[in-house]
Amino acid sequence: MRVDDRRKPKLALWKFSSCDGCQLSLLDCEDELLAIASAVDIAYFLEASRFQSKGPYDISLVEGSISTPEDAERIREVRRRSRTLITIGACATAGGIQALRNFKDVDQFIATVYARPEYIDVLTTSTPIDSHVEVDFELRGCPVNKTQLLEVLNALLNSRKPNVPHYSQCLECKRAGTVCVMVAHGTPCLGPVTQAGCGNLCPSCNRGCYGCFGPQETPNTASLSAWLTRLGLAPREIRHAYRSFNANAEAFRKESLRHE
Ligand code: SF4
Ligand code: SF4
């Protein structure tokens, strides 16, 4: 990215329908925060500061999905004011856990949860940011991995492509020498179809991956489902395995529908 050499790039963080966890990942970069603050001008980041600069912004990091009419309008405005727009996390890149509504009738959920459903104004679906505006790069995870987040910022500031893997979590296990929980213990694991990047968190703790980084580049979900069936999972359990934080990601959505 090219910005005027005389000024620091303006960084903005935007929240849509989400839990704030991905924004927190940036604040969690404790050792690197001062370096970030000296490299960019933090122009809009309500979770960290009340200061608000009007923009335009050089880099916008966007957390959250589009699940209300107001979200749909606001993301277009954010896009207009941003030179580079990066989506961060499962909500922004796939619709998030709130996209479970996409498989059901949202009015039924609202009537069950809220005492006064008539006050609730939501879209019938929760969708990722790239369903509404052009996105320049997407960073997966629930929440995002802070090392990857730093890598993306570093890459942008140095006009290079971010080095973020698109292969599967299984490769991380092999590299780390982690014993496969599925082969060794018969524990169901979505690692073969899930994008790496979390730092091998779950298998290294002897538990299966539940897919929070979303589908890898070429996921063979049908093959994994056959494995899960051999491990004794019923179609309902396989469906539920694919329907979590990335339920609306195309590969996971399609595979879950095969087990309706
Ligand atoms: S534990 Fe999961 S992610 Fe790791 S190798 Fe086995 S199937 Fe793949
Ligand atoms: S192993 Fe899977 S579920 Fe666990 S943190 Fe990594 S991607 Fe997420």
Side-chain angles (χ1 to χ4, degrees), residues 23 41 72 171 219:
Q23 295 184 65
D41 173 10
L171 204 59

Side-chain angles (χ1 to χ4, degrees), residues 128-142:
I129 301 299
D130 74 353
S131 296
H132 300 264
V133 296
E134 191 180 335
V135 167
D136 298 300
F137 191 80
E138 63 174 33
L139 196 58
R140 304 280 193 79
C142 185

Side-chain angles (χ1 to χ4, degrees), residues 12-244:
L13 272 100
W14 306 97
K15 173 188 160 59
F16 286 81
S17 297
S18 57
C19 75
D20 284 32
C22 290
Q23 295 184 65
L24 267 179
S25 297
L26 185 58
L27 292 176
D28 202 24
C29 296
E30 292 165 357
D31 292 339
E32 298 85 4
L33 264 185
L34 287 178
I36 296 170
S38 65
V40 297
D41 173 10
I42 299 179
Y44 188 96
F45 186 7
L46 291 185
E47 192 154 300
S49 167
R50 278 180 299 177
F51 173 75
Q52 297 177 38
S53 160
K54 279 207 172 81
Y57 308 98
D58 296 299
I59 306 169
S60 276
L61 301 178
V62 178
E63 171 197 273
S65 70
I66 302 303
S67 71
T68 69
E70 191 266 340
D71 282 345
E73 203 174 304
R74 192 160 58 94
I75 190 60
R76 288 194 287 274
E77 180 58 23
V78 168
R79 177 69 270 189
R80 269 195 294 276
R81 290 155 65 189
S82 308
R83 294 180 66 179
T84 303
L85 189 153
I86 314 287
T87 49
I88 55 171
C91 299
T93 59
I97 196 81
Q98 57 274 28
L100 288 174
R101 78 172 68 155
N102 300 4
F103 300 88
K104 301 284 179 192
D105 177 1
V106 71
D107 290 332
Q108 276 184 3
F109 286 132
I110 294 171
T112 305
V113 172
Y114 295 99
R116 301 295 300 268
E118 65 272 24
Y119 290 162
I120 307 298
D121 184 18
V122 292
L123 298 171
T124 55
T125 56
S126 169
T127 45
I129 301 299
D130 74 353
S131 296
H132 300 264
V133 296
E134 191 180 335
V135 167
D136 298 300
F137 191 80
E138 63 174 33
L139 196 58
R140 304 280 193 79
C142 185
V144 290
N145 173 289
K146 69 177 188 180
T147 308
Q148 285 199 331
L149 187 54
L150 289 170
E151 161 61 14
V152 169
L153 286 175
N154 186 308
L156 283 174
L157 294 174
N158 291 289
S159 304
R160 65 174 174 82
K161 194 177 167 205
N163 184 9
V164 171
H166 297 287
Y167 50 72
S168 81
Q169 166 55 35
C170 289
L171 204 59
E172 299 277 27
C173 281
K174 303 303 169 226
R175 280 182 167 159
T178 303
V179 172
C180 175
V181 299
M182 196 145 70
V183 172
H185 315 126
T187 303
C189 182
L190 286 194
V193 296
T194 298
Q195 182 168 299
C198 66
N200 196 26
L201 276 180
C202 299
S204 66
C205 298
N206 214 14
R207 53 171 288 173
C209 166
Y210 50 90
C212 80
F213 268 59
Q216 59 126 321
E217 205 163 35
T218 52
N220 190 342
T221 49
S223 171
L224 177 63
S225 296
W227 263 98
L228 296 177
T229 302
R230 283 199 285 279
L231 291 176
L233 267 66
R236 178 175 174 275
E237 293 171 301
I238 295 175
R239 186 170 75 238
H240 286 177
Y242 288 106
R243 285 192 189 163
S244 62

